[in-house]
Amino acid sequence: MTATTATTEDDALRERLLAVRREVGKAVVGQDSAVSGLMVALLCGGHVLMEGVPGTAKTLLVRTLAAALAVDTKRVQFTPDLMPGDITGSLVIDQAAGSGGQLTFREGPVFTNLLLADEINRTPPKTQSALLEAMEEGQVSADGVTRPLPRPFLVAATQNPVEYEGTYPLPEAQLDRFLVKVVLPVPPRADEIAILTRHAEGFDPRDVAAAGVTAVASGADIEAAQAAVKRVQVAPEVATYIVDVARATRESPSLSLGVSPRGATALLRAARAWAWLSGRDFVTPDDVKALAHAALVHRLGLRPEAELEGVDVAKVLSAALGSVPVPR
């Protein structure tokens, strides 16, 4: 394959994935940054933590993305009594196998392409951690057998930022497993009017096909794009810039927990995907800045005295970014 052919194929692939964003826009209004975050995570083989008050289209967003990509999606409502086997699957007695039956593995909802883990902070840590192997390794181990998950595979976990009664906040080690965190705000007035107008005209959020959403890309396209993203060049100066940003957070007097090397790697991966989506085969410092908050904010921990003073962790990250010279 010549360089020209590879570039042409990359351009066609990129166009199909950009078309996915347009398809999602047919059903979801005013959440462009969340759509971008999900696309970046898919291209990196990572996972997304989605935060927003109820009614900001989190479920609709994941369902519509799956429809535009022609991939399978499932939703799990996390509750205090949810068990690990309810997510990963469990051994059950197959009565059809003969007298007495035999144990067979029944796959849980994690065996899908896009898993919506709704209100993940409402279930105990034992069940939250059941997702860890699936998220990190793309597999599930049960009864001594390792079973691979479908590809592509993305966990989009949601949490409600305003209601903490009866919740189990995700520990730092688990937050670190999410490539990016996206916040779904209440949309601006104009977008909210557009949403209500659509509903007045008969839009049904449970039927995205009726909104005109069609499959414009596939799971195979995502896997091909993941390979293309890995070919995006990262200059030593840009890698050094990312490391210096991470180190600046560790030196901040307001933070008890700065960005780990895994967090710096996550920012690199996300910036690569953003560069590729932007039509470039190299990463710029602007790509790093564009993805810094989504990739890093959820990995930072405020000191207790800073929390008491009402310090905003996003502003601390902005200050750390501003303190690092940008490579030319």
Side-chain angles (χ1 to χ4, degrees), residues 4-324:
T4 303
T5 304
T7 301
T8 302
E9 289 185 1
D10 262 18
D11 289 343
L13 187 59
R14 188 181 298 107
E15 279 303 310
R16 289 197 292 276
L17 293 180
L18 290 175
V20 168
R21 297 173 67 175
R22 292 192 290 271
E23 289 298 306
V24 172
K26 293 178 180 179
V28 181
V29 177
Q31 301 294 2
D32 293 339
S33 62
V35 176
S36 297
L38 283 164
M39 292 297 296
V40 165
L42 273 171
L43 294 180
C44 296
H47 306 283
V48 179
L49 182 62
M50 303 166 66
E51 189 171 274
V53 297
T56 48
K58 296 184 290 291
T59 302
L60 177 62
L61 176 55
V62 175
R63 186 186 297 127
T64 308
L65 180 64
L69 285 170
V71 295
D72 187 38
T73 183
K74 291 177 183 172
R75 174 180 177 271
V76 178
Q77 180 66 51
F78 279 68
T79 57
D81 60 349
L82 195 73
M83 298 298 290
D86 296 331
I87 300 170
T88 59
S90 56
L91 293 171
V92 297
I93 297 176
D94 184 3
Q95 298 289 356
S99 60
Q102 66 179 25
L103 287 174
T104 59
F105 182 74
R106 179 177 293 167
E107 294 181 349
V110 76
F111 285 86
T112 188
N113 296 117
L114 299 184
L115 176 68
L116 178 62
D118 216 352
E119 293 191 294
I120 191 173
N121 57 335
R122 291 213 168 274
T123 203
K126 177 175 66 174
T127 306
Q128 292 174 357
S129 63
L131 275 178
L132 280 180
E133 182 188 11
M135 291 169 64
E136 281 295 296
E137 309 294 339
Q139 63 187 29
V140 166
S141 296
D143 193 35
V145 179
T146 298
R147 297 171 173 85
L149 296 173
R151 293 186 181 276
F153 174 66
L154 176 139
V155 173
T158 74
Q159 60 181 13
N160 183 341
V162 297
E163 188 179 354
Y164 294 104
E165 185 176 348
T167 63
Y168 303 83
L170 292 173
E172 286 79 2
Q174 191 157 343
L175 284 171
D176 205 35
R177 308 288 178 175
F178 289 96
L179 181 82
V180 294
K181 174 184 176 180
V182 297
V183 177
L184 286 82
V186 173
R189 181 174 180 270
D191 287 340
E192 197 166 357
I193 291 172
I195 291 169
L196 264 66
T197 301
R198 288 186 180 190
H199 280 262
E201 293 170 352
F203 172 70
D204 182 357
R206 291 175 292 274
D207 185 8
V208 295
V213 177
T214 57
V216 292
S218 65
D221 288 331
I222 289 292
E223 293 193 81
Q226 288 174 350
V229 166
K230 291 177 181 177
R231 296 193 294 268
V232 173
Q233 299 296 309
V234 182
E237 296 81 6
V238 174
T240 301
Y241 177 57
I242 293 173
V243 169
D244 288 343
V245 168
R247 294 181 72 85
T249 65
R250 295 174 210 154
E251 295 166 2
S252 171
S254 298
L255 298 178
S256 61
L257 181 67
V259 175
S260 68
R262 184 190 329 208
T265 303
L267 177 54
L268 173 66
R269 292 165 59 200
R272 256 181 160 171
W274 189 250
W276 184 83
L277 277 174
S278 302
R280 283 179 278 102
D281 61 357
F282 59 93
V283 177
T284 69
D286 285 341
D287 297 323
V288 175
K289 288 182 178 180
L291 272 297
H293 279 76
L296 301 182
V297 162
H298 61 292
R299 305 173 196 272
L300 303 176
L302 283 172
R303 293 187 185 278
E305 55 270 28
E307 284 193 66
L308 289 173
E309 293 170 4
V311 173
D312 182 359
V313 70
K315 290 182 179 178
V316 175
L317 177 57
S318 295
L321 276 167
S323 70
V324 178

